[in-house]
Amino acid sequence: MIQCEGLVKIYKTDELEVVALQGLNLSVREGEMMAIIGNSGSGKSTLLNILGGLDRPSAGAVHVGKWDLLKITDDQLVEYKRDTVGFIWQNNARNLLPYLTALENVEMPMILSSRLDRAYAKQLLEWVGLKERMNNKLHQLSGGEQQRVAMAISLANRPKMLLADEPTGSVDSRTSDLIMDIFRKLNKEIGITIVIVTHDLSLAGKVDRVVAIRDGLTSTEFIKRNPNLDGGGDIDGGHTTAVGNVHEEYVVVDRVGRLQIPKNYLNALQITDKASMEFDGERIIITQPKSLEG
Ligand code: ADP
Ligand code: MG
């Protein structure tokens, strides 16, 4: 479904250039539900905005389904955003209309693309647990309920992929659990591919695979060993062994053999720009540079 290779995004402001993504690799299979974690400023939103067609990549390759997002035209991008992706933000105010009912809100994107399907709009609201509230105006609903309406809206045009940027960032932990359960249900029910960006490590246990981004690069991957187990846990910069002991950790090695070494490892060994590397037949050992003299 998603294939990024060497993805680069550079933001240019007057004097400053920020390299938000510096050659990122990521593959997501169709029907997968996965999470992207990383500290603030690591490039998570940048990646999601590119995948959602809200922002243009600077270089590299990024394909979503049949679309090449580097070559896509502006007209195609409109079609892409309407048909291929659903987007959910932390602050849902930007796609909700407060004086319409929940149902009318879900129908709005259908009307805008001339594909009104009231039965499906109701079905979506039922899936997000708002069957009883669908005729309430938005401003009569709680923050968590509004977020669930936003989830239903994001699915109104039957997208193939759902992108959620910190979807539980402004709700309490009970609502956050509920929202994660709904994602899981939608993933099972309609087989939609779901990518959730979060810095909340406890959510990581709720998905099959977690990819960690550090400084605009995918650095580490956590793959669930037993999908029937759930668990929170913690990842402290990519060097502990598990997310709630059910994920196995792997360092990501790209096609040309590059990998990212955690900063704290480098600091501990005082490695700055060069290191020595040895292979003993079983292990690759990286150490401080050996002196070139003698
Ligand atoms: P995250 O979502 O992981 O917190 P972002 O993707 O928002 O990270 O940001 C990654 C980096 O890119 C940060 O250094 C941020 O300051 C920079 N950045 C993001 N958006 C812009 C922009 N529109 N203009 C300039 N710099 C930006
Ligand atoms: Mg962000």
Side-chain angles (χ1 to χ4, degrees):
M1 186 81 218
I2 300 172
Q3 193 72 254
C4 300
E5 220 182 288
L7 178 59
V8 174
K9 176 65 187 182
I10 300 168
Y11 288 110
K12 287 197 182 94
T13 47
D14 297 336
E15 306 278 280
L16 211 68
E17 262 191 20
V18 180
V19 187
L21 300 177
Q22 32 187 337
L24 180 137
N25 299 311
L26 176 74
S27 303
V28 180
R29 286 190 319 275
E30 207 175 321
E32 194 177 358
M33 171 162 162
M34 56 91 68
I36 295 173
I37 60 160
N39 293 335
S40 172
S42 56
K44 304 183 298 296
S45 295
T46 301
L47 172 62
L48 222 61
N49 288 342
I50 290 173
L51 293 176
L54 305 173
D55 210 341
R56 292 272 190 172
S58 306
V62 45
H63 291 87
V64 179
K66 63 172 178 174
W67 301 104
D68 177 341
L69 297 188
L70 236 88
K71 299 209 180 107
I72 197 166
T73 65
D74 288 345
D75 286 347
Q76 289 171 329
L77 204 54
V78 172
E79 187 188 334
Y80 172 79
K81 281 190 277 188
R82 191 192 56 210
D83 297 340
T84 310
V85 291
F87 220 112
I88 296 164
W89 290 273
Q90 171 176 353
N91 185 343
N92 48 58
R94 60 204 280 186
N95 51 1
L96 299 183
L97 300 160
Y99 294 102
L100 296 184
T101 65
L103 183 60
E104 287 163 344
N105 266 276
V106 178
E107 287 176 348
M108 189 54 74
M110 296 176 168
I111 292 169
L112 292 176
S113 58
S114 337
R115 286 181 290 199
L116 178 60
D117 182 344
R118 176 154 295 170
Y120 192 59
K122 286 181 174 170
Q123 169 76 79
L124 288 172
L125 283 163
E126 198 177 326
W127 274 330
V128 300
L130 291 174
K131 193 180 175 191
E132 316 299 330
R133 312 296 312 263
M134 62 174 85
N135 294 315
N136 281 90
K137 295 224 178 0
L138 251 288
H139 65 87
Q140 298 169 328
L141 301 179
S142 71
E145 286 167 341
Q146 291 188 18
Q147 186 63 323
R148 279 141 66 197
V149 175
M151 293 174 85
I153 291 174
S154 73
L155 294 165
N157 283 330
R158 302 173 188 266
K160 294 174 187 64
M161 163 176 102
L162 202 52
L163 304 174
D165 195 352
E166 310 266 4
T168 62
S170 53
V171 297
D172 58 48
S173 64
R174 224 186 97 246
T175 309
S176 162
D177 276 349
L178 182 62
I179 286 174
M180 289 305 290
D181 291 344
I182 293 168
F183 276 126
R184 176 56 80 192
K185 185 156 103 192
L186 293 168
N187 174 249
K188 279 202 185 120
E189 206 76 53
I190 45 183
I192 190 165
T193 308
I194 301 180
V195 178
I196 301 165
V197 158
T198 181
H199 64 261
D200 181 354
L201 305 169
S202 64
L203 299 188
K206 300 241 176 197
V207 297
D208 307 324
R209 187 164 69 104
V210 181
V211 169
I213 294 191
R214 207 182 298 140
D215 301 327
L217 285 171
T218 33
S219 58
T220 322
E221 229 183 272
F222 302 84
I223 297 171
K224 209 174 236 184
R225 227 179 289 149
N226 182 349
N228 298 320
L229 292 176
D230 255 9
D234 77 350
I235 306 164
D236 56 357
H239 56 82
T240 50
T241 350
V243 182
N245 290 323
V246 294
H247 284 77
E248 266 181 68
E249 177 178 352
Y250 302 92
V251 61
V252 174
V253 181
D254 77 7
R255 213 159 45 99
V256 293
R258 285 174 298 203
L259 55 82
Q260 198 182 19
I261 304 172
K263 276 209 183 71
N264 50 336
Y265 289 13
L266 297 176
N267 292 343
L269 295 177
Q270 292 172 337
I271 294 172
T272 50
D273 61 335
K274 282 186 190 63
S276 294
M277 184 157 71
E278 285 165 48
F279 178 52
D280 69 1
E282 267 178 35
R283 289 173 304 172
I284 299 166
I285 301 150
I286 295 168
T287 50
Q288 251 186 356
K290 297 200 173 81
S291 169
L292 298 173
E293 289 153 39

